[in-house]
Amino acid sequence: MLSIVIPIYNEEGLIDDLLERTVSALEAFISDYEIIIVDDGSEDRSLQNLLNWQNKNQKIKVLSLSKNFGHQAAFTAGLEHASGEIVGMMDGDLQDPPELFQEMYRKITEENYDIISGTRSGRKGYSSRNFYTFLFHLFFRNTASIRNMENTGNFSLMKREAVDALLKMREKVRYLPGLRSFIGFRQGYVEFIRDERSEGEPKMSLTKLFILASDAIFAFSRFPIRFCLSLGLIGTFVFMCAGVYVLIAKAVGFAVIGWSSTLLSIYFLGSIQLVSLGVVGEYVYRIYKESQNRPIYFVKKFYDGKPVKQ
Ligand code: UDP
Ligand code: MG
């Protein structure tokens, strides 16, 4: 069986389109499938709409979370409730084309890959959001300790062994594309052009997007802490040279009273210290999150394919 996991948060306007397209894309090549739609605490009519769909088609299962946990947690919840031998992840706003699952499925079954991710060879539309995403991928590619993840997001298909490995990692601050790349296995790619959202505003605000990007960077690269260390080392070197200069100046009786140099060095040192403290704070926050050991999500109800009364 093939399971496809899709998270939804306040998407009442595009659920019909999404499910029509996904169902027909899957039925074009497979009859044994399930679509696990995770309702990530939507406040609009998304859940009712999903339940209507589920009454019509029992292969659609609806996992309703107790509140909005964020889309990485929602994906995790869906993956944990998927029972397929092959499991896919796809955003619910049709930016990733469900028709591509056929090619991904063929590659996994015929070419013996364990994981196939969609890699974006381009994006439709120009927006500041796309530009930030581009910057993030550029930075991440050059600093992260994992490889082969250029321009991949959640859109992917995985064999059961890979899904189980992915779910063994219980960290609370999660960046699934990074974790998926980290687990190894035989990974392949299919290219696609990332579409624009088919309807409505993005449900990941810029703040949420920024937090996701920093989660990815803190989880998969040593850059932030190294950066602080290098600043500290450079600072030490500069001030050692300045110290030597001051001592020589004093010895030859040429000491200048200057407040600008004093002020500048205080500002400079002060800002380095603040930045470094902030970075250390980020790590402490992450350690704290892990040590709390709270569950990643709570399920309100799993409508697992039997007709429901509303
Ligand atoms: N989403 C979610 N929970 C959230 C935010 C978003 O489940 O807190 C879903 C959203 O409905 C969509 C997918 O995650 O199906 C991707 O969200 P969005 O399109 O806003 O993100 P972007 O395309 O900017 O990464
Ligand atoms: Mg989107």
Side-chain angles (χ1 to χ4, degrees), residues 11 14 18 21 90-98 100 120 122-124 127 129-130 133 155 192-199 201-204:
E11 305 279 16
L14 57 72
L18 167 72
R21 234 179 104 180
M90 181 178 83
D91 275 359
D93 57 356
L94 291 174
Q95 282 194 282
D96 307 322
L100 210 63
R120 303 148 188 177
R123 284 167 191 277
K124 278 198 197 146
S127 64
R129 206 178 168 83
N130 282 353
T133 316
F155 191 36
F192 73 106
I193 307 262
R194 193 147 210 251
D195 220 332
E196 288 183 83
R197 193 166 234 285
S198 75
E199 199 263 357
E201 289 297 306
K203 300 301 168 323
M204 292 275 285

Side-chain angles (χ1 to χ4, degrees), residues 214-215 218 224 276-288:
S214 60
D215 284 348
F218 277 96
S276 309
L277 209 61
V279 171
V280 173
E282 284 288 326
Y283 285 102
V284 173
Y285 168 76
R286 283 166 166 74
I287 297 169
Y288 176 59

Side-chain angles (χ1 to χ4, degrees), residues 6-11 14 18 38-42 68-72 74-75 90-95 120 123 129 133 154 194 197 201-205 208-209 212:
I6 308 175
I8 285 292
Y9 176 56
N10 292 346
E11 305 279 16
L14 57 72
L18 167 72
V38 185
D39 174 40
D40 187 17
S42 299
N68 177 245
F69 284 95
H71 98 312
Q72 296 291 301
F75 266 127
M90 181 178 83
D91 275 359
D93 57 356
L94 291 174
Q95 282 194 282
R120 303 148 188 177
R123 284 167 191 277
R129 206 178 168 83
T133 316
N154 299 301
R194 193 147 210 251
R197 193 166 234 285
E201 289 297 306
K203 300 301 168 323
M204 292 275 285
S205 59
K208 276 189 180 173
L209 213 58
L212 183 66

Side-chain angles (χ1 to χ4, degrees), residues 6 11 13 22 60 65 75 81 88 95 98 104 123 132 136 145 147 153 168 178 218 259 261 263 284 296 300 304 309:
I6 308 175
E11 305 279 16
T22 311
I60 298 175
L65 301 187
F75 266 127
H81 286 77
Q95 282 194 282
M104 292 168 134
R123 284 167 191 277
Y132 300 140
F136 163 71
S145 54
R147 290 281 150 253
K168 279 216 176 95
F218 277 96
W259 63 270
S261 54
L263 268 191
V284 173
I296 298 164
K300 191 153 75 185
D304 57 354
K309 283 212 183 80

Side-chain angles (χ1 to χ4, degrees), residues 32-309:
D32 192 13
Y33 69 88
E34 62 174 6
I35 300 177
I36 302 208
I37 296 251
V38 185
D39 174 40
D40 187 17
S42 299
E43 291 113 28
D44 63 359
R45 291 189 45 84
S46 296
L47 182 62
Q48 285 91 322
N49 211 342
L50 290 173
L51 293 180
N52 287 338
W53 267 92
Q54 200 230 356
N55 273 331
K56 282 188 269 165
N57 180 349
Q58 259 92 79
K59 290 178 175 169
I60 298 175
K61 303 177 180 177
V62 182
L63 181 64
S64 159
L65 301 187
S66 65
K67 64 159 197 165
N68 177 245
F69 284 95
H71 98 312
Q72 296 291 301
F75 266 127
T76 307
L79 290 177
E80 280 178 336
H81 286 77
S83 39
E85 269 310 296
I86 297 182
V87 183
M89 301 200 278
M90 181 178 83
D91 275 359
D93 57 356
L94 291 174
Q95 282 194 282
D96 307 322
E99 293 75 22
L100 210 63
F101 277 130
Q102 182 163 11
E103 168 66 6
M104 292 168 134
Y105 185 81
R106 192 196 63 73
K107 267 185 121 103
I108 276 213
T109 48
E110 287 172 23
E111 294 178 31
N112 210 19
Y113 282 101
D114 299 304
I115 301 175
I116 296 289
S117 316
T119 161
R120 303 148 188 177
S121 53
R123 284 167 191 277
K124 278 198 197 146
Y126 293 93
S127 64
S128 50
R129 206 178 168 83
N130 282 353
F131 179 67
Y132 300 140
T133 316
F134 165 79
L135 281 187
F136 163 71
H137 281 284
L138 185 70
F139 184 79
F140 195 68
R141 181 161 73 235
N142 289 300
T143 57
S145 54
I146 38 179
R147 290 281 150 253
N148 313 323
M149 342 195 354
E150 200 156 323
N151 278 322
T152 60
N154 299 301
F155 191 36
S156 57
L157 218 56
M158 293 173 274
K159 277 197 185 142
R160 171 56 48 197
E161 297 76 24
V163 179
D164 288 344
L166 188 66
L167 291 175
K168 279 216 176 95
M169 289 181 285
R170 304 306 304 164
E171 54 231 82
K172 312 294 171 225
V173 181
R174 304 173 77 73
Y175 178 60
L176 288 169
L179 294 175
R180 191 185 58 217
S181 159
F182 174 81
I183 55 176
F185 294 92
R186 186 154 184 262
Q187 309 212 4
Y189 302 88
V190 291
E191 284 197 0
F192 73 106
I193 307 262
R194 193 147 210 251
D195 220 332
E196 288 183 83
R197 193 166 234 285
S198 75
E199 199 263 357
E201 289 297 306
K203 300 301 168 323
M204 292 275 285
S205 59
L206 274 184
T207 320
K208 276 189 180 173
L209 213 58
F210 181 77
I211 292 175
L212 183 66
S214 60
D215 284 348
I217 290 164
F218 277 96
F220 290 102
S221 111
R222 276 197 281 180
F223 177 83
I225 206 80
R226 286 232 170 124
F227 179 71
C228 291
L229 191 66
S230 340
L231 275 187
L233 289 176
I234 294 171
T236 313
F237 178 72
V238 170
F239 286 99
M240 263 167 54
C241 297
V244 171
Y245 169 76
V246 168
L247 285 180
I248 295 175
K250 179 107 181 141
V252 297
F254 168 70
V256 209
I257 310 155
W259 63 270
S260 15
S261 54
T262 319
L263 268 191
L264 281 181
S265 50
I266 289 175
Y267 287 162
F268 181 63
L269 270 181
S271 50
I272 289 185
Q273 277 168 358
L274 284 181
V275 169
S276 309
L277 209 61
V279 171
V280 173
E282 284 288 326
Y283 285 102
V284 173
Y285 168 76
R286 283 166 166 74
I287 297 169
Y288 176 59
K289 278 302 225 195
E290 294 304 322
S291 68
Q292 282 179 317
N293 204 20
R294 293 183 185 157
I296 298 164
Y297 61 88
F298 291 108
V299 174
K300 191 153 75 185
K301 191 160 177 154
F302 187 33
Y303 303 91
D304 57 354
K306 293 161 197 107
V308 281
K309 283 212 183 80

